[in-house]
Structure formats: structure tokens, C-alpha cells
Amino acid sequence: MTTRDRLYLFDTTLRDGAQTTGVDFSLPDKQAIARLLDDLGVDYIEGGYPGANPLDTQFFSQDNGLRATFTAFGMTKRAGRSAANDPGIAGLLDAKAEAICFVAKSWDQQVRVALGISLEENLDSIRDSVATAQARGREVLLDCEHFFDGYKANPDYALACAKTAFEAGARWVVLCDTNGGTLPHEVERIVGEVEKVIPGDHLGIHAHNDTEQAVANSLAAVRAGVRQIQGTLNGLGERCGNANLTSLIPTLLLKPDYAGRFEIGVDGHKLETLTRVSRKLDELLNRTPDHHAPYVGSSAFATKAGIHASAVVKDPSTYEHVAPESVGNRRKLLVSDQAGKSNILAELERLGLTIDRDDPRLTHLLGALKDKEAQGYAYEGADASFFLLAKRILGTVPEFFFIERFSVNVERRWNARGELGSYSEAIVKVKVGEEELISAAEGQGPVNALDIALRKDLGKYQSYIEDLKLVDYKVRVFQGGSDAVTRVLIEFQDRTGERWSTVGVSDNIIDASFQALTDSMTYKLLKSGAEV
């Protein structure tokens, strides 16, 4: 049996990922994400920069109980003092972390301009910092910042930085494409040159995604000999992000060229949780998941065209490069105006509705679908509304409640503190059986007020909807002009984590929103087995 080389995964979501525009981690966020990463099976978790801010200092003040190697990030010592007398180094050594990842300039221009020190002083900072941390029992990594740009400008000096760290005792010397502008063929060539000086099992790659090639550059570096990959979940990171571990992990495990040569800490069982982990991260950060993300996006295994869907039903490999279940995702055959019977049959089966291909109701459903989409409805992202449409044509949907009327008032006024603001109030009159209920609510905007009022009192069904949370709301205006038609997509989630989306269409945004809201309530009641 051929022995496979070990590849080590170094996650820097909690440090580099924190530089993503719009991302701010709380301490509980960091702790929860660290547990997700640890359970997934990454080898190193870089938690942040102790001493740089109170949150990271607190994060490193206690044992996090991780199986992965918990790593602190920081600068090498300042020029003109020893590592033993540098407060930054002291903070890293005081942190409860098994490893320290130093960052140092490896581009001569950066050393002279950004640091304002001599090239030899920079090498001394690398040498002294690495040796000091290694002597204190820490596993040491050195991120060679701007390595590829530095190598192209002055290969001798870039190599000297890397070699100095290795000879001082660094376990890993990490080659960083900090600006993200290096191309895969350049990475492969340069790493090959570095490996003549430093063994590949001591080299790592840290790629940024400014040319959309961070994953390709990481794989190129692996082919050239590196044995550690640094990246982030969902490709978080400054500017255009870092190498996306959510794409790299399944590629390394499922593609024969890599799976046959390498092993990683993530196994096939944990790989099946990858989609959940990816979406859990987005949920923690209150971000909408990237539907088109490779492997884990909701559209990664979605087929819209009828002839493609027919082929997928017969043989999934015709349009799927891996099985969606292998990464915890699922196949979606979208229902749209391009859909044929194959799409609809497959989607009905997924939703638990079985019908024979020759059943005349299928033709009726296909016609109704095309009529609805001509009016502006879109069911590709509104699976719950499609389920209700299909159920109404193929069977029955109980009338759990009937909306007799609703009204929304938006008022701009001065409050008691003398502040000018907009205030929204909604009133909904609903009939549940023989009981008439009227609810009023204020909200942050008219749709929020309407949502709160609708769910404030639904009589005997109230217990079914109390755990609902509106997690996403999208509006699209089309057929433009002052009489434009508006499409609203709403996504809900319940306490089990199940999500569903509904759609509403009207020339009035409030009415379109209300259609989607009532569809969501009806779907929840139907799936929960509520009785009329």
C-alpha cells in the first residue's frame, strides 16, 4: 500500500477572517467557531493576536480545551531590543497557546520602507524571536509576509528570511502571497526553488484571493512540496479574502490526484458536516450564505434546465462532479419556467409528494407554475411556496386561518426626546375557525410591524409559530416604472434549524410581503401536523 504524505490544515478564520469587512467577532463567537473547527478536524486554530486588543487577550487567557494546536499570532521583536525584553513577545509567551505564529517581512522593499530598518536587523528579529519562543517550549511558525513579491524582487533576501527562521528552530516556514496577485504557475515554480533550501514538510502556503486563485495557488504549492495549507472557512479575509478551506478540504479528500497522495485531519465522516459548518459560521456572523459557493452553496448541486435535470435523474454524474451528500449538501432540481417534468417530479419527490409521471395533475401543475412565473413569481428560491402550490393542485391545503383585513401605517414624527424618526404600526384581523382575532404591533419598518402583528395571536395555532425567526428578506423590483411589480422572498427558521423560503408578488411591496408571510405560516402549520 502506498504511503500518503500528511497535509496539515491551519485555520486563520479567527484572526485573518476578523479583517473581513462587516465581520466582528464577539468572545462567544470566537469560542463557538473554534469548537466548530476543532470538531471538523483542522490541525491548527489561530485564535488571534493576544495583547493587540482586549478580546483576543481574554480569549488567550484560558485553556480552550481544543484538540487542535491553538496558535497565537504576533510580530517578531522590534529592532534595537532583544526578544527577552520585548513586551509583544512577552504577551505571546504568556498566552495559553501551544504554538506561536510570528509574522515578518520578507520583501526587502517592505523592510526598508515599512519597518525603516536594515535588512540584517530584520533577519536578527526573525532569528531571536523564533529561538526565544522555541526555547520556551512553543511550536513556532513564521509567516513570511509578501514572500512571493519579495522573491520576485530579491530572491536571495526572501530566501534568507525563510532560511533564518528554519535554522532558528521554526517548525513551519509559511510562504505568504500577501497581496494575492501571484499566479499558480509562479507559485509552483517559486515553491520548487524554496524547497531546495528548506524541506517541503516544513513549508506552508498562505494565499490571498485577489485574483480569485487562492485555492488554485494553495494546490499549486502542495504539488510543489509544501505540507501545510493556511486558509479560512468560507474564504473570509481582508479585501477579497483568503484561501477557502471550505473548498480546499473536499478537493483534497474527494479528488483522486490529491486523495491518493495525501491525508488530512478531516475524515469522510466529518466531511459530511461541511455544509452545516459553513452555514453555521454565516449564521453566527449574521451573513447570508453564498448560494453559489462550491461544494456547500445551496446552488452547488442545483439544476434548472429541463434536459439537464432529466440527465441528472438518470445519472447524477452527468452534471455533478461529486455526490452532494459527501459534503452534507443535497441535490436541487429547480422548478422554473425552463423546467420540464423531470425537474418537477424530482422536486416533488424531495418534498415528500409522490405522483406518477403520466398523472394529468402534473401537466396542470406545470401549467400553473408557468402562469405564476409569468406574473413574476419565482420558485427557485422559494421551496415552501412551491410545496403549497403543488399541494393545492395535487391534494388539499387546509385553511388554518383566514385574513379578513390588514392595515399598515407609516408615520414620520417627533418623539418625546425631540428626535425625528419614522414609526410603523400594523393591524391584522384574522379568523381562526369561528374565532376572530385582532392584533396590532409596532415594528422597525412596515414589514416588521406586519410580521409581528400577524404572529402575535393566531389562536389555537400560536404554539406552532412562537419559535419562528425571520432570517432573510429580499426585494426585487421588475417591470420598472412607478407601477413596477415587486417580488418579495422571505426566509424563516424554527428552533430545529429547518429553513424555508416563500415568495409574494404584487405592485404593492406590503401586499407582496404579506403573501410571503402568510405562506410561511401556512407551511409551518402544515409541516407541523396542525389540525383544523
Side-chain angles (χ1 to χ4, degrees):
M1 181 177 178
T2 304
T3 302
R4 295 181 296 166
D5 287 354
R6 181 69 157 86
L7 279 180
Y8 294 86
L9 301 176
F10 183 106
D11 182 275
T12 181
T13 301
L14 299 178
R15 200 270 305 174
D16 246 10
Q19 299 181 52
T20 307
T21 303
V23 168
D24 293 293
F25 295 123
S26 66
L27 182 59
D29 287 340
K30 284 205 164 195
Q31 292 167 335
I33 294 166
R35 289 193 295 270
L36 280 176
L37 291 165
D38 198 40
D39 186 60
L40 184 61
V42 301
D43 300 291
Y44 295 81
I45 297 173
E46 188 178 61
Y49 194 157
N53 59 73
L55 188 150
D56 281 359
T57 301
Q58 185 179 358
F59 191 33
F60 281 93
S61 67
Q62 55 194 8
D63 185 355
N64 285 279
L66 302 172
R67 292 168 297 178
T69 301
F70 193 46
T71 306
F73 174 88
M75 300 285 290
T76 54
K77 78 171 186 68
R78 300 176 188 174
R81 65 174 65 189
S82 69
N85 293 314
D86 189 291
I89 302 292
L92 293 171
L93 292 172
D94 288 341
K96 293 188 181 299
E98 296 83 30
I100 294 173
C101 181
F102 290 110
V103 61
K105 305 291 186 185
S106 56
W107 186 359
D108 58 350
Q109 176 194 13
Q110 291 277 329
V111 175
R112 295 192 185 97
V113 176
L115 297 182
I117 62 176
S118 71
L119 299 185
E120 186 53 46
E121 282 178 309
N122 186 54
L123 293 177
D124 178 62
S125 292
I126 293 172
R127 184 183 301 110
D128 195 7
S129 302
V130 171
T132 298
Q134 200 267 345
R136 289 284 296 271
R138 302 298 194 275
E139 182 177 336
V140 184
L141 305 89
L142 183 84
D143 276 2
C144 293
E145 192 176 29
H146 294 287
F147 181 82
F148 292 95
D149 289 319
Y151 186 91
K152 285 182 276 188
N154 185 341
D156 291 339
Y157 187 72
L159 280 172
C161 293
K163 188 177 180 182
T164 297
F166 177 64
E167 292 177 344
R171 169 65 183 89
W172 294 102
V173 178
V174 183
L175 312 179
C176 302
D177 184 28
T178 307
N179 287 344
T182 310
L183 301 178
H185 69 279
E186 296 177 296
V187 168
E188 198 157 0
R189 175 181 61 82
I190 292 171
V191 170
E193 293 298 317
V194 177
E195 200 193 14
K196 296 175 183 177
V197 178
I198 300 172
D201 59 2
H202 285 271
L203 290 175
I205 180 70
H206 179 110
H208 282 257
N209 203 37
D210 297 72
T211 61
E212 192 65 29
Q213 295 181 89
V215 168
N217 282 341
S218 299
L219 295 173
V222 168
R223 290 194 301 272
V226 308
R227 293 297 178 260
Q228 186 195 88
I229 301 174
Q230 295 196 358
T232 60
L233 280 181
N234 292 349
L236 294 181
E238 63 180 331
R239 302 187 313 274
C240 305
N242 287 42
N244 191 345
L245 289 180
T246 315
S247 299
L248 279 162
I249 289 170
T251 297
L252 294 170
L253 280 173
L254 299 176
K255 297 303 179 181
D257 285 351
Y258 296 97
R261 292 181 57 197
F262 306 106
E263 61 177 335
I264 60 175
V266 182
D267 60 25
H269 175 68
K270 290 300 182 182
L271 183 63
E272 293 175 2
T273 71
L274 188 65
T275 297
R276 179 185 63 81
V277 168
S278 170
R279 295 178 186 176
K280 179 65 175 177
L281 175 65
D282 285 325
E283 182 181 317
L284 284 169
L285 299 179
N286 197 27
R287 289 160 53 103
T288 301
D290 179 1
H291 299 301
H292 300 283
Y295 293 105
V296 297
S298 60
S299 295
F301 300 95
T303 302
K304 184 172 181 178
I307 56 172
H308 291 186
S310 179
V312 167
V313 169
K314 295 172 184 175
D315 180 1
S317 67
T318 51
Y319 289 96
E320 294 174 355
H321 65 108
V322 298
E325 297 81 9
S326 64
V327 292
N329 209 337
R330 64 178 177 85
R331 179 177 304 118
K332 289 176 67 176
L333 300 179
L334 303 176
V335 288
S336 71
D337 60 1
Q338 295 184 31
K341 288 185 177 181
S342 295
N343 292 65
I344 293 181
L345 283 168
E347 185 65 7
L348 290 174
E349 183 178 354
R350 185 184 70 81
L351 295 173
L353 302 174
T354 303
I355 183 173
D356 187 81
R357 187 180 185 87
D358 297 323
D359 192 314
R361 292 176 299 171
L362 185 61
T363 302
H364 185 193
L365 175 58
L366 187 58
L369 176 68
K370 293 181 184 294
D371 287 344
K372 282 285 189 180
E373 292 208 338
Q375 298 169 35
Y377 288 83
Y379 293 98
E380 298 168 23
D383 50 356
S385 286
F386 173 71
F387 177 84
L388 293 175
L389 176 67
K391 282 283 288 183
R392 289 181 176 118
I393 290 175
L394 303 179
T396 58
V397 175
E399 186 176 73
F400 297 107
F401 56 89
F402 177 73
I403 305 297
E404 293 195 343
R405 65 178 177 87
F406 73 84
S407 64
V408 179
N409 181 53
V410 179
E411 183 180 5
R412 186 170 174 82
R413 66 173 185 265
W414 299 93
N415 63 19
R417 293 188 296 273
E419 300 167 335
L420 183 63
S422 295
Y423 301 87
S424 299
E425 180 184 64
I427 299 173
V428 176
K429 183 177 181 181
V430 60
K431 190 171 183 180
V432 180
E434 298 301 316
E435 184 180 18
E436 290 189 343
L437 304 162
I438 299 179
S439 297
E442 292 185 334
Q444 296 180 345
V447 176
N448 181 240
L450 197 56
D451 176 36
I452 295 171
L454 176 61
R455 291 194 280 145
K456 198 169 190 177
D457 187 1
L458 209 57
K460 65 180 182 180
Y461 301 122
Q462 188 62 25
S463 62
Y464 291 95
I465 64 170
E466 285 182 339
D467 66 329
L468 293 188
K469 179 183 177 183
L470 197 158
V471 294
D472 198 15
Y473 176 85
K474 295 187 181 73
V475 177
R476 182 184 175 193
V477 176
F478 57 101
Q479 297 177 9
S482 59
D483 59 346
V485 176
T486 302
R487 177 194 299 147
V488 169
L489 283 166
I490 292 180
E491 185 174 10
F492 272 95
Q493 178 178 314
D494 63 18
R495 67 165 63 95
T496 69
E498 182 184 356
R499 292 180 178 232
W500 62 90
S501 299
T502 51
V503 61
V505 172
S506 173
D507 56 6
N508 183 306
I509 188 172
I510 304 300
D511 185 53
S513 302
F514 198 68
Q515 289 178 38
L517 287 170
T518 54
D519 256 13
S520 288
M521 301 302 107
T522 301
Y523 178 81
K524 170 64 174 176
L525 295 174
L526 191 61
K527 296 294 283 186
S528 299
E531 297 182 357
V532 177

